[in-house]
């Protein structure tokens, strides 16, 4: 009997607990909304960028004064670009202590691949195909950002792109929707963790919704005009994956999609994202994208733009000053229904409650945690691990790599080899200047060799942070002579070439994707006097390095590896880490081939190739320089025994992978399908599974996959997901261009 009572007592207590806390987040939001004026609800929809040093005196004039007053009067819901606990606390005090309802601000920032400690750029991280490492990298970034008072990052960017000219390919996961979806999930979970109210997690943002990566001719912000099949099967899946992973915010995009600016697109934001997908977080505009609808020729003026954006489901206005100035009048005029304001404010307040900001608006403002977290060992070790895993070995003729750790005279050449900024990449806003370990510094830890450094030909002059234009040296080749001399006197040359950190990123599209400046001239001059050249690439996009591929024995794609750049490169070059990366984006032979990607359609004219009447150029091959999924290792791997079995509509696939070398290594085993006949044409190849496996020297491992409807289907032009019976090719290998093939019938 006692047991029964105790159970009953426990039950009553838990009810009592529920009673005292029976208010769900939604209840609390509704209660708060009911107290808010229209102006205050619109205030939640208004986001400003930090515009004054809050730890200083209140601004006395201009927009800063007005904005200061707006925060105090509850007409601001969020601020971005506030740096540091002290600044965040002061601004939060303005909102919480001085406004009528004390609603806390949410603080956003572009924590794209780290805050103070930079991980490799996202395209580099994607080259690791290591979802656990990518998730951990986001977790560390969140921890560091949250320690500075931030609770929201404008990441992950999940825009698929097939155009290496576009500057923002550095920010994404490359050309493939399957890889992009898995990485979107990993990053969202890494940033948000399993408890958004923890002071070590932050809300994530899936951006830029949508089709930003399909800007015509690779020019940033340019028009995107895409077919429904590409929209549904290539562009949207990573966004849907982010929703399914629980992402709490979205950011729309600057571009128009098929004639409608994304910020004003009712289909994208209301019908699809909030409707069909059931997304219950909020959408923030991209910097000024609301007011930019005037330039698009879609809105007559700021007020009209506000009307269009609010009705289309853009919940928060970043830096257009549009909502705060026009929404109240639009509601009064009946052009925007107040229910839409309520919905937007509700969504924003919900995320703030989930972050715990109402429980304690200063929970992210702990100066002790800030100083103990920024740049600590955990951060640096995580960045180093991620950087090593991101590197892709593109060529290694006669196993020139890894280099011996002693007994050699090594020349390190190239301005980028001594550059402590460019390795931080474009989105390094949270990092201090010159905080990357350079290649020269990284190599210095391998003291067994005699190492000399020579800048060689200059790539760029100076570099202020967030540079708007990089002054690339196109005419002064004076540095080449000295570089050749040093090369001539050395056993091996490690030549570090590529792009300045601000030659990719937002607003940094390039029409040419070769080595900028006079680097190619220097490379050829060095090769004249010394064949033992290891080319290390530091770049934010695929580069058309044909000559190098034909002449240089070893090529390592290092991307922009972040804070621990030099250490990571040195550990790979000297063999303390066996490179395992695979390309997340095709490398063209020439920019004229762009857009070029592996998952292309067959067309009606794939051949025969002995006549002119097939889909090709008369003066350029269709083949890329390096295909999607390609990457070498110091090990070598052999695939055998591919087997497939169809059971209850699922396809079981297995393959044996043998490490035929004497070096333990990792291989990314990739599974592709081809749906050979379908009611909407399907690509010649689609990635539908991958597994990164470690295999000891000489050993074999069986790797298995199961293909289900989720992998075997596609979206038709009505956006309906379907799986059709018929023949499928199943391909498994170490890149999109190699492997074993079997055919199954569904
Ligand atoms: C920028 C970018 C966006 C970023 C935002 C805030 O223009 O397009 O990705 O998150 O503004 O900095």
């Amino acid at each position: 009997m006692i047991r029964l009572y105790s159970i009953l007592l426990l039950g009553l207590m838990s009810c009592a607990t529920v009673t005292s806390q029976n208010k769900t987040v939604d209840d609390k939001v509704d209660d708060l909304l009911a107290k808010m004026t229209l102006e205050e609800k619109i205030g939640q929809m208004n986001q400003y960028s930090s515009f004054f040093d809050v730890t200083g005196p209140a601004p006395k004039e201009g927009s800063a004064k007005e904005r200061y007053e707006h925060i105090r009067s509850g007409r601001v819901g969020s601020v971005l670009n506030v740096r540091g606990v002290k600044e965040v606390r002061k601004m939060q005090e303005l909102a919480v202590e001085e406004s009528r309802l004390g609603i806390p601000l949410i603080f956003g920032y572009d924590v794209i691949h780290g805050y103070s400690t930079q991980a490799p750029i996202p395209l580099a991280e994607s080259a690791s195909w290591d979802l656990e490492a990518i998730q951990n990298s986001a977790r560390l970034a969140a921890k560091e950002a949250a320690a500075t008072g931030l609770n929201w990052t404008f990441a992950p960017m999940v825009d698929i792109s097939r155009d290496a000219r576009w500057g923002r390919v550095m920010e994404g996961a490359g050309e493939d929707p399957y890889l992009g979806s898995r990485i979107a999930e990993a990053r969202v979970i890494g940033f948000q963790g399993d408890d958004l109210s923890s002071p070590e997690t932050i809300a994530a943002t899936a951006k830029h919704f949508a089709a930003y990566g399909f800007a015509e001719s690779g020019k940033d912000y340019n028009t995107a005009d895409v077919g429904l099949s590409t929209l549904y099967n290539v562009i949207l899946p990573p966004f849907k994956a982010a929703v399914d992973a629980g992402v709490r915010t979205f950011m729309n995009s600057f571009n128009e999609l098929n004639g409608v600016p994304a910020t004003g697109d009712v289909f994208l934001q209301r019908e699809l994202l909030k409707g069909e997908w059931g997304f219950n977080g909020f959408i923030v505009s991209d910097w000024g994208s609301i007011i930019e609808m005037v330039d698009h020729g879609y809105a007559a003026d700021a007020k009209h733009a506000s009307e269009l954006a609010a009705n289309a489901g853009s919940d928060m206005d970043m830096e257009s000053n549009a909502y705060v100035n026009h929404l109240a009048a639009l509601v009064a005029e009946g052009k925007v229904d107040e229910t839409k304001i309520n919905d937007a404010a509700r969504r924003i307040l919900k995320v703030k409650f989930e972050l715990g900001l109402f429980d304690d608006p200063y929970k992210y403002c702990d100066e002790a945690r800030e100083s103990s977290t920024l740049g600590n060992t955990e951060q640096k070790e995580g960045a180093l691990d991620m950087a090593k895993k991101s590197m892709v070995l593109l060529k290694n003729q006669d196993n020139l790599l890894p280099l011996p750790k002693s007994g050699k005279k090594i020349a390190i050449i190239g301005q980028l080899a001594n550059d402590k900024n460019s390795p931080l990449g474009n989105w390094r806003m949270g990092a201090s200047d010159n905080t990357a370990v350079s290649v020269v510094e990284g190599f210095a830890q391998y003291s067994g060799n005699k190492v000399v450094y020579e800048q060689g030909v200059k790539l760029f002059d100076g570099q202020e942070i967030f540079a708007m234009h990089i002054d690339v040296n196109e005419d002064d080749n004076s540095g080449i002579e000295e570089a050749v001399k040093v090369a001539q006197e050395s056993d091996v040359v490690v030549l570090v070439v590529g792009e300045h950190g601000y030659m990719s990123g937002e607003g940094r599209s390039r029409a040419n994707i070769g080595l900028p400046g006079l680097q190619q001239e220097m490379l050829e001059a060095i090769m004249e006097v010394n064949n033992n050249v290891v080319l290390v690439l530091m770049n934010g996009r695929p580069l058309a390095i044909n000559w190098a591929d034909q002449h240089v024995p070893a090529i390592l794609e290092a991307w922009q590896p972040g804070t621990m750049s030099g250490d990571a490169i040195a550990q790979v070059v000297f063999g303390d880490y066996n490179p395992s990366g695979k390309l997340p984006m095709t490398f063209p032979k020439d920019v004229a081939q762009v857009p070029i990607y592996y998952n292309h359609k067959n067309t009606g004219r794939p051949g025969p190739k002995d006549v002119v009447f097939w889909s090709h150029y008369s003066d350029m091959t269709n083949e890329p320089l390096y295909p999607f999924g390609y990457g070498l290792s110091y090990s070598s791997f052999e695939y055998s025994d591919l087997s497939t079995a169809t059971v209850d509509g699922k396809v079981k696939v297995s393959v044996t992978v043998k490490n035929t070398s004497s070096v333990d290594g990792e291989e990314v085993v990739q599974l592709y399908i081809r749906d050979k006949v379908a009611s909407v044409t399907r690509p010649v190849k689609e990635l539908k599974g991958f597994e990164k496996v470690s295999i000891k020297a000489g050993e074999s491992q069986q790797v298995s996959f199961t293909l289900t409807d989720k992998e075997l289907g596609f979206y038709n032009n009505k956006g309906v997901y379907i799986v059709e019976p018929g023949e499928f090719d199943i391909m498994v290998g170490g890149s999109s261009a190699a492997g074993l093939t079997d055919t199954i019938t569904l």
Side-chain angles (χ1 to χ4, degrees), residues 47 49 80-81 109-110 112 153-155 157 159 168 171 205 207-208 212 220-221 251-254 284-288 292 318 427 429 466 506:
Q47 179 187 56
S49 177
L80 69 146
N81 295 335
Y109 203 87
D110 290 286
I112 308 297
T153 177
F154 306 123
M157 181 271 225
D159 303 311
R168 298 192 78 162
E171 197 175 342
T205 307
K207 72 182 187 182
H208 306 78
Y212 186 28
D220 207 352
Y221 318 116
M251 182 182 287
N252 54 39
S253 56
F254 293 120
V284 62
S285 69
D286 194 351
W287 193 284
E292 287 179 12
M318 179 191 288
W427 274 115
M429 287 163 62
F466 214 57
E506 183 176 352

Side-chain angles (χ1 to χ4, degrees), residues 39 474 548:
E39 288 290 353
E474 302 282 4

Side-chain angles (χ1 to χ4, degrees), residues 362-661:
Y362 305 107
K363 69 186 301 181
Y364 291 82
C365 300
D366 176 336
E367 290 189 48
R369 183 169 62 231
E370 181 178 46
S371 56
S372 67
T373 307
L374 287 187
N376 69 13
T377 304
E378 182 190 30
Q379 293 289 329
K380 288 203 165 69
E381 285 176 353
L384 174 60
D385 178 63
M386 191 73 252
K388 291 187 292 189
K389 291 175 175 174
S390 302
M391 295 186 189
V392 184
L393 183 60
L394 298 175
K395 187 177 177 185
N396 192 23
Q397 187 179 301
D398 306 330
N399 294 323
L400 177 60
L401 285 174
L403 296 183
K405 293 180 180 175
S406 62
K408 291 294 178 186
K409 194 171 175 193
I410 299 176
I412 302 176
I413 300 175
Q415 184 175 11
L416 288 171
N418 206 27
D419 178 356
K420 294 169 63 67
N421 267 323
S422 286
L424 299 173
N426 175 283
W427 274 115
R428 89 276 290 251
M429 287 163 62
S432 304
D433 304 355
N434 291 308
T435 50
V437 176
S438 70
V439 172
V440 171
E441 290 167 336
F443 274 56
Q445 297 168 56
Y446 288 83
S447 52
N449 293 303
K450 183 171 174 9
V451 179
V452 295
Y453 170 70
E454 175 55 47
Q455 172 177 286
V457 74
K458 195 163 50 177
L459 171 58
F460 49 83
D461 272 319
Q463 48 171 338
E464 68 288 358
I465 288 305
F466 214 57
M468 290 304 164
H469 172 72
I470 300 303
D471 184 11
V472 175
N473 166 30
E474 302 282 4
D475 48 26
D476 171 9
N477 65 6
S478 57
I480 292 179
E481 187 181 343
E482 196 48 39
V484 168
K485 183 169 171 297
V486 166
Q488 209 154 15
E489 296 160 358
S490 303
D491 299 317
V492 183
V493 174
V494 175
L495 178 57
V496 183
V497 295
E499 296 177 316
H500 177 283
Y502 283 118
M503 294 179 80
S504 59
E506 183 176 352
R508 276 95 172 184
S509 294
R510 290 177 64 203
N512 295 302
I513 55 172
L515 291 176
L518 302 175
Q519 298 178 107
Q520 178 66 30
E521 186 181 332
M522 176 166 69
L523 167 61
E524 293 181 24
I526 288 171
M527 286 296 295
E528 285 290 326
V529 301
N530 189 329
N531 245 329
N532 291 328
V533 172
V534 175
L535 196 68
V536 176
L537 299 174
M538 273 198 194
N539 43 301
R541 60 164 50 82
L543 296 178
I545 50 162
N546 276 314
W547 189 93
D549 177 59
Q550 286 156 14
H551 297 86
V552 180
I555 304 174
L556 176 67
E557 176 54 81
W559 311 102
Q560 281 142 0
T563 302
M564 304 308 286
S565 172
D567 287 351
I569 291 169
Q571 291 185 26
V572 169
V573 166
F574 288 108
D576 284 336
Y577 182 79
N578 184 352
S580 59
K582 300 284 186 178
L583 294 179
M585 196 169 177
T586 300
F587 273 48
K589 278 188 164 40
D590 189 297
V591 69
Q593 294 178 305
V594 171
I596 181 171
Y597 47 97
Y598 87 96
N599 46 356
H600 60 79
K601 300 299 187 67
N602 203 35
T603 78
R605 289 285 176 104
K609 298 183 170 60
D610 55 358
V611 293
V612 295
F613 308 114
W614 63 286
S615 180
H616 76 300
Y617 305 104
S618 54
D619 57 353
M620 170 78 63
T621 174
N622 283 353
E623 293 309 308
L625 178 60
Y626 305 116
F628 173 83
Y630 170 81
L632 302 176
S633 162
Y634 295 151
S635 308
S636 50
F637 298 98
E638 212 169 71
Y639 286 73
S640 63
D641 305 327
L642 171 62
S643 80
T644 58
T646 307
V647 180
D648 301 334
K650 291 186 174 64
V651 184
K652 302 279 187 189
V653 182
S654 75
V655 71
T656 300
V657 186
K658 180 173 184 178
N659 178 344
T660 53
S661 76

